[in-house]
């Protein structure tokens, strides 16, 4: 645990101390020099007990939780009840709808849990303004938005090198995405499946699809690719985090598959900031972000979800006729955009003010 003398704020991430979420929350709180609790997702119960013990020992003015994992959430609720130590939590998903996709009973319990967290928290930090509005509706007293930022810078000559490594002609159009390729058997889908299915219907040979990531869906995507695997469909698997931006620079267009429902519609997706930092125009569905953030660099496809036949057909039609000139026009619009919601220093400044004012209010009431 970091410096016990700086006890105003204690933070942790329910996904684990080595996860990018932990890096995110520490960076957001950097100006407040927080203590950081090493939550271990593989030992949730032990970590929850350890967090309670750490709070009793350190008596921070505030606990900040990144994520909504049950073990961490129960721990901060218990700490609040036992010693009156308030908490703020941050999330990138609507909890109940997310759980409901997996199991109806879990969705009902998740709804209760989400409402209790919102009503008991001293503040909420949403990854999107839509999640902020949801949290306020569910009872959060105050809230702010912090959508994240691109973490790393590219290597010199990354575009040319990655294309050479993958065997992609420099003049070919490369459409791709990066993410966790988890197979959802109920709908027959993993990230990127819509790109593979669309590609299998195309006549053109000068467009290549590249889906970077690993998970239970990788082998399924290989099967879907058929004899296009290794030619028009590339599945390089997982790459090191430092290489993510390099692979993005090798692409011309990014896919952002999101469902138009209470899961996908609330998200920006963790990758959107990286896509925009790499200068990639984005193909997605008719989600709120694709309207609210668009300054001429989104394509919005119809269909309720990326696994729907309507979405795949519209994607195939777009890719069949996509030209380098159209990609260039949308890329220029992206580079000329007026606003940047993913600016890291701005989010850090807002977080400092938000947490500082919560702490000041707590001291005033005390």
């Amino acid at each position: 645990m970091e410096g016990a003398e700086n006890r105003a704020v204690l933070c942790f991430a329910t996904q684990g101390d080595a996860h990018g979420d932990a890096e995110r929350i520490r960076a957001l709180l950097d100006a407040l020099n927080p203590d950081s609790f090493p939550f271990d997702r593989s030992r949730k119960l032990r970590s929850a007990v350890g967090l309670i013990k750490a709070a009793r020992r350190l008596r921070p003015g505030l606990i900040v939780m990144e994520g909504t994992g049950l073990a961490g959430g129960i721990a901060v609720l218990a700490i609040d009840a036992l010693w009156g130590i308030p908490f703020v939590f941050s999330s990138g998903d609507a909890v109940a709808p997310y759980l409901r996709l997996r199991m109806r009973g879990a969705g009902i319990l998740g709804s209760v849990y989400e409402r209790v967290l919102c009503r008991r928290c001293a503040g909420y930090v949403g990854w999107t303004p839509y999640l902020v509005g949801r949290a306020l509706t569910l009872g959060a007293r105050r809230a702010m938005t912090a959508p994240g930022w691109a973490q790393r810078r590219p290597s010199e000559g990354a575009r040319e090198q990655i294309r050479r490594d993958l065997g992609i002609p420099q003049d070919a159009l490369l459409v791709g995405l990066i993410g966790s390729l988890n197979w959802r058997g109920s709908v027959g889908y993993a990230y990127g499946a819509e790109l593979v299915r669309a590609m299998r219907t195309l006549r053109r040979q000068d467009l290549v699809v590249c889906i970077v990531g690993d998970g239970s869906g990788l082998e399924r995507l290989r099967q879907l690719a058929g004899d296009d695997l290794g030619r028009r469909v590339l599945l390089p698997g997982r790459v090191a985090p430092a290489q993510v931006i390099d692979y993005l620079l090798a692409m011309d267009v990014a896919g952002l598959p999101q469902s138009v429902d209470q899961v996908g519609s609330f998200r920006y997706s963790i990758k959107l900031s990286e896509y925009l930092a790499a200068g990639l125009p984005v193909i997605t569905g008719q989600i709120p972000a694709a309207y609210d953030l668009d300054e001429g660099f989104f394509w919005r496809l119809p269909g309720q979800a990326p696994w729907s036949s309507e979405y795949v057909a519209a994607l195939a039609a777009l890719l069949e006729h996509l030209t380098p000139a159209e990609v260039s026009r949308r890329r220029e619009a992206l580079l000329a955009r007026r606003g940047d919601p993913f600016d890291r220093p701005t989010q850090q400044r807002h977080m400092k003010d938000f947490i500082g004012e919560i702490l000041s209010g707590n001291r005033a009431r005390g």
Side-chain angles (χ1 to χ4, degrees):
M1 185 136 2
E2 297 174 1
E5 70 276 14
N6 299 308
R7 298 180 180 177
V9 178
L10 176 66
C11 71
F12 73 100
T14 60
Q15 288 281 0
D17 199 52
H19 194 272
D21 282 5
E23 182 180 352
R24 164 192 159 87
I25 200 60
R26 285 193 291 264
L28 277 172
L29 294 167
D30 184 63
L32 296 165
N33 196 15
D35 283 331
S36 179
F37 179 79
F39 197 91
D40 184 349
R41 191 184 180 197
S42 66
R43 298 180 174 182
K44 296 177 184 177
L45 180 58
R46 179 178 295 183
S47 289
V49 172
L51 178 63
I52 292 171
K53 290 180 178 179
R56 183 179 61 184
R57 183 177 72 255
L58 296 174
R59 297 300 174 101
L62 185 72
I63 296 177
V64 181
M65 176 176 73
E66 179 63 56
T68 54
L70 185 61
I74 294 297
V76 295
L77 288 167
I79 291 165
D80 182 29
L82 288 170
W83 301 296
I85 299 172
F87 69 92
V88 165
F89 78 102
S90 169
S91 69
D93 270 309
V95 178
Y98 180 82
L99 293 175
R100 196 175 296 122
L101 282 178
R102 283 143 181 81
M103 187 184 304
R104 182 173 176 81
I108 294 170
L109 293 175
S111 180
V112 174
Y113 172 61
E114 187 176 22
R115 285 180 179 275
V116 171
L117 278 181
C118 288
R119 290 178 180 178
R120 294 301 305 168
C121 74
Y124 172 79
V125 181
W127 289 34
T128 71
Y130 325 122
L131 288 168
V132 165
R134 177 182 175 85
L136 291 169
T137 300
L138 293 178
R141 284 170 276 178
R142 57 194 300 165
M144 62 162 279
T145 304
W149 54 85
Q151 298 282 356
R152 295 171 177 85
R153 297 185 179 278
S155 306
E156 186 175 351
R159 178 179 173 86
E160 293 75 17
Q161 184 61 54
I162 295 296
R163 282 186 167 237
R164 281 195 297 270
D165 292 346
L166 294 175
I168 302 169
Q170 294 300 322
D171 59 350
L173 282 176
L174 181 59
V175 180
L177 59 80
I178 291 181
S180 297
L181 309 181
N182 299 315
W183 186 254
R184 291 179 55 190
S186 60
V187 292
Y189 180 76
Y191 278 137
E194 73 290 344
L195 285 172
V196 178
R197 287 172 172 140
M199 175 59 77
R200 296 289 283 161
T201 71
L202 301 190
R203 295 183 300 273
R204 66 188 298 178
Q205 300 296 313
D206 62 337
L207 188 144
V208 179
V209 162
C210 181
I211 300 158
V212 181
D214 198 2
S216 59
L218 181 57
E219 184 56 37
R220 301 277 190 160
L221 294 184
R222 288 173 177 150
Q223 294 171 11
L224 287 174
D227 58 9
D228 277 325
L229 183 63
R231 300 188 305 109
R232 296 196 303 168
V233 176
L234 305 178
L235 300 169
R238 184 182 183 276
V239 302
Q243 284 190 293
V244 166
I245 189 65
D246 292 350
Y247 273 80
L248 292 178
L249 283 181
M251 299 176 187
D252 297 295
V253 175
L256 187 71
Q258 297 284 16
S259 52
V260 187
D261 57 19
Q262 289 193 359
V263 177
S265 291
F266 280 114
R267 289 174 170 171
Y268 279 169
S269 170
I270 194 170
K271 294 302 176 188
L272 183 54
S273 63
E274 295 176 326
Y275 292 164
L276 299 190
L280 295 176
V282 176
I283 301 172
T284 190
Q286 294 172 345
I287 57 174
Y291 298 97
D292 296 345
L293 301 182
D294 189 24
E295 295 185 33
F297 49 84
F298 278 98
W299 288 274
R300 290 181 292 272
L301 302 182
Q304 284 299 109
W307 52 85
S308 71
S309 58
E310 184 180 12
Y311 187 98
V312 173
L315 177 60
L318 171 64
L319 297 182
E320 187 70 75
H321 302 289
L322 186 63
T323 65
E326 173 68 4
V327 172
S328 179
R329 183 180 71 79
R330 296 198 181 232
R331 176 179 169 82
E332 288 171 3
L334 191 162
L335 296 177
R337 70 190 189 278
R338 296 180 297 277
D340 182 7
F342 304 106
D343 179 65
R344 174 172 171 163
T346 299
Q347 293 174 67
Q348 288 175 311
R349 185 174 68 252
H350 293 170
M351 189 71 163
K352 177 186 176 184
D353 292 344
F354 183 69
I355 298 298
E357 288 161 14
I358 289 175
L359 287 168
S360 295
N362 291 343
R363 285 192 289 268
R365 286 191 295 272

